[in-house]
């Protein structure tokens, strides 16, 4: 497990963002104070597999078929895994192997650190958010306070009751001056709306460079914001629908995802702000299966025949539906989902889908891959596997001779 330390930003004028953020939590959602105290005291732990999921899908683009098919995902996953192994060391903490990293590589670190903090703090997971793309044609960072400013690497979450807006920043090396990045977060947040019950903040993730022995750390910046005017519950359903459509398309690009993908692409191609997403009328009692009528053509938990080339594994007490990708000789990436999400889609309601969370686990697994592709080879693998609250299962495995 890798440990990330947590601290608050203190501005040059002496403003302590600890007081600002704690007051915001106490006033709006005091139920999360215990999570905040735990993070401040103990930091946050993350596995290599969990950290990789943030970068693996960071630049997902539904218009690019390479990101929404198994063949494309296999190539991207292999390349991205090798890239991450060359950039990061993840043992007792997260480190850059070398200095001189690109902005995109620093972005991976910034988004990974920020999102893991947000998830742990507010009990969220990756299916609860949508990345807000950069908005072109806005005033530069030197614009006067209150003017709309460029948004980059920002995420909008919902838990069905309130919104959480978080801005991600990354830095290589510890001890650098973070004032410019903090001011950027403050300027952007001052220009963006948020509801009276909503939470808005930014996190700067600083990653040490080998051979620095200190822990990576996440520094929280908490600026004030104005009001939003759309439904957190509607947005939560939309974000989860979008999340599972994009992730499951990497396991087979099945027919039932096409309408959802087209819906997402229409939204992403529009010139409107992300806040103007199409609204849903949420009726929590509607069977979710009605929305996925092409998915379950037979009375089976798994969506045959659309994912018939994927594999079913038993990992401890869970059944997992996944693909195994060879990233380099003798090394494999396993990616898929637990049985539970398919059970929810097949037998649950819309509200069950909104509420879905798997119990997270980190474990060491050893077993045989039984599939059409590897049946003749007798492929035996072992390694670390993380089961995430989204139901995602990701593992870095090695071949056993």
């Amino acid at each position: 497990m890798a440990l990330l330390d947590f601290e608050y930003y203190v501005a040059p004028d002496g403003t302590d963002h600890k007081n600002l953020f704690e007051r915001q939590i106490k006033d709006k959602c005091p139920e999360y104070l215990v999570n905040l105290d735990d993070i401040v005291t103990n930091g946050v732990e993350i596995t290599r597999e969990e950290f990789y999921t943030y970068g693996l899908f960071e630049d997902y683009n539904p218009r690019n078929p390479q990101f929404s098919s198994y063949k494309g995902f296999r190539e991207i996953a292999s390349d991205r895994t090798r890239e991450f192994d060359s950039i990061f060391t993840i043992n007792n903490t997260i480190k850059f192997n070398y200095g001189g990293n690109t902005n995109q590589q620093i972005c991976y670190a910034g988004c990974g650190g920020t999102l893991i903090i947000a998830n742990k703090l507010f009990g969220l997971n990756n299916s609860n958010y949508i990345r807000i793309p950069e908005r072109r044609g806005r005033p530069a960072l030197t614009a006067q306070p209150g003017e709309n400013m460029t948004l980059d690497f920002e995420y909008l979450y919902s838990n069905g009751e309130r919104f959480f807006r978080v801005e991600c920043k990354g830095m290589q090396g510890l001890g650098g001056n973070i004032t410019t990045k903090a001011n950027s977060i403050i300027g952007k947040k001052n220009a963006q709306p948020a509801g009276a019950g909503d939470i808005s903040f930014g996190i700067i993730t600083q990653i040490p460079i080998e051979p620095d022995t200190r822990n990576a750390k996440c520094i929280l910046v908490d600026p004030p914001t104005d009001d939003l005017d759309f439904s957190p519950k509607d947005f939560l359903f939309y974000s989860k629908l979008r999340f599972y459509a994009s992730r499951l398309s990497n396991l087979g690009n099945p027919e039932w995802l096409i309408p959802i993908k087209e819906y997402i692409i229409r939204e992403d191609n529009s010139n409107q702000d992300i806040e103007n997403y199409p609204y849903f009328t949420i009726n929590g009692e509607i069977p979710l299966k009605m929305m996925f009528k092409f998915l379950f053509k037979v009375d089976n938990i798994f969506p045959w025949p659309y994912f018939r080339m994927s594999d079913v594994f038993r990992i401890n007490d869970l059944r997992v539906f996944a693909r195994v990708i060879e990233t380099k000789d003798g090394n494999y990436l396993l990616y898929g989902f637990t049985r539970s999400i398919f059970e929810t889609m097949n037998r649950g309601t819309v509200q069950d889908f909104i509420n879905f969370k798997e119990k997270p686990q980190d474990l060491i697994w050893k077993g045989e891959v039984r599939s059409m592709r590897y049946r003749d080879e007798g492929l035996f693998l072992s390694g670390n596997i993380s089961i995430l609250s989204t139901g995602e299962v990701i593992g870095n495995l090695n071949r056993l001779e």
Side-chain angles (χ1 to χ4, degrees):
M1 300 288 284
L3 181 66
L4 286 75
D5 292 336
F6 179 84
E7 62 184 58
Y8 295 96
Y9 175 61
V10 179
D13 64 2
T15 301
D16 188 347
H17 285 232
K18 175 179 186 294
N19 297 329
L20 295 175
F21 192 68
E22 287 184 349
R23 184 165 62 246
Q24 184 177 185
I25 300 300
K26 288 178 182 177
D27 291 345
K28 297 180 179 180
C29 47
E31 65 271 21
Y32 296 120
L33 280 173
V34 63
N35 293 351
L36 179 60
D37 290 341
D38 179 62
I39 290 173
V40 171
T41 302
N42 302 312
V44 171
E45 291 185 326
I46 184 173
T47 65
R48 174 175 178 257
E49 290 71 36
E50 189 176 7
F51 180 73
Y52 276 23
T53 62
Y54 293 105
L56 194 61
F57 297 102
E58 169 59 27
D59 45 11
Y60 172 78
N61 179 355
R63 294 189 292 271
N64 185 344
Q66 287 292 99
F67 286 87
S68 55
S69 68
Y70 171 62
K71 181 179 179 181
F73 175 67
R74 181 179 60 196
E75 296 171 359
I76 290 168
S78 299
D79 293 343
R80 191 61 53 82
T81 300
R82 288 193 292 268
E83 178 188 6
F84 268 47
D85 286 341
S86 70
I87 297 169
F88 300 105
T89 294
I90 304 176
N91 289 319
N92 59 313
T93 190
I94 299 172
K95 297 181 182 180
F96 284 118
N97 292 330
Y98 310 98
N101 293 285
T102 66
N103 288 338
Q104 182 61 53
Q105 292 164 345
I106 296 172
C107 164
Y108 293 150
C111 292
T114 298
L115 298 180
I116 190 64
I117 290 287
N119 288 346
K120 299 290 186 183
L121 180 55
F122 296 112
L124 302 166
N125 62 43
N126 294 355
S127 70
N128 298 121
Y129 71 72
I130 289 176
R131 177 173 174 171
I132 300 177
E134 181 177 345
R135 298 176 181 179
R136 300 177 181 177
R138 298 294 181 91
L141 294 178
T142 54
Q144 293 298 312
E147 293 183 11
N148 288 331
M149 308 181 77
T150 300
L151 290 174
D152 50 357
F153 311 129
E154 179 168 2
Y155 293 84
L156 182 63
Y157 287 75
S158 170
N159 65 357
E161 298 177 356
R162 60 176 52 84
F163 288 102
F164 304 85
R165 300 182 75 120
V166 56
E167 173 90 9
C168 307
K169 297 288 186 182
M171 290 183 66
Q172 60 176 346
L174 301 181
N177 190 335
I178 65 172
T179 301
T180 299
K181 291 183 180 291
N183 287 341
S184 174
I185 293 171
I186 293 169
K188 290 175 182 179
K189 293 300 181 181
N190 283 339
Q192 303 303 319
D198 301 332
I199 304 294
S200 181
F201 60 100
I203 289 179
I204 303 168
T205 302
Q206 291 186 303
I207 304 294
I209 304 170
E210 288 283 11
D212 193 335
T213 59
R214 293 173 292 177
N215 287 340
K217 61 182 178 181
C218 297
I219 303 168
L220 186 138
V221 182
D222 177 32
T225 51
D226 297 323
D227 286 349
L228 282 171
D229 60 358
F230 53 101
S231 164
K233 190 170 184 179
D234 287 359
F235 183 90
L236 175 58
F237 179 70
Y238 171 64
S239 66
K240 291 180 80 75
L241 185 67
R242 177 190 177 105
F243 173 84
Y244 287 104
S246 66
R247 299 300 190 267
L248 290 173
S249 67
N250 293 307
L251 299 181
N253 198 23
E255 177 185 344
W256 70 277
L257 286 174
I258 293 175
I260 299 176
K261 285 174 59 180
E262 290 177 346
Y263 172 77
I264 293 170
I265 291 171
R266 283 199 300 272
E267 182 269 316
D268 281 348
N269 265 329
S270 72
N271 292 321
Q272 299 176 334
D273 293 340
I274 192 71
E275 287 86 348
N276 294 326
Y277 67 92
Y279 284 82
F280 292 91
T281 300
I282 300 299
N283 182 340
E285 300 303 316
I286 294 177
L288 191 67
K289 189 174 181 178
M290 292 178 61
M291 300 189 63
F292 301 131
K293 59 184 178 180
F294 297 112
L295 179 56
F296 301 99
K297 288 192 173 181
V298 296
D299 188 17
N300 193 306
I301 290 299
F302 289 118
W304 311 115
Y306 299 117
F307 294 121
R308 63 185 179 276
M309 296 304 292
S310 293
D311 305 317
V312 180
F313 300 85
R314 183 167 292 279
I315 298 177
N316 290 357
D317 58 341
L318 294 173
R319 287 184 70 192
V320 172
F321 184 75
R323 295 277 195 178
V324 175
I325 300 166
E326 187 170 16
T327 56
K328 57 185 177 181
D329 290 344
N331 297 102
Y332 296 80
L333 175 74
L334 180 149
Y335 181 78
F337 286 84
T338 63
R339 174 189 178 103
S340 302
I341 184 62
F342 295 103
E343 288 179 330
T344 300
M345 290 178 177
N346 193 23
R347 298 175 179 173
T349 64
V350 167
Q351 192 63 48
D352 293 330
F353 181 65
I354 291 173
N355 294 337
F356 174 80
K357 283 189 178 180
E358 184 65 81
K359 179 181 178 181
Q361 298 182 52
D362 299 304
L363 50 93
I364 298 175
W365 180 77
K366 180 187 295 184
E368 182 181 5
V369 174
R370 295 180 178 274
S371 68
M372 294 297 294
R373 183 177 181 187
Y374 296 117
R375 182 172 296 169
D376 295 336
E377 300 179 29
L379 186 62
F380 289 86
L381 301 175
S382 70
N384 298 318
I385 288 179
S386 288
I387 298 169
L388 310 183
S389 59
T390 54
E392 289 172 284
V393 181
I394 183 167
N396 286 285
L397 307 175
N398 300 309
R399 178 184 291 176
L400 297 174
E401 301 297 338

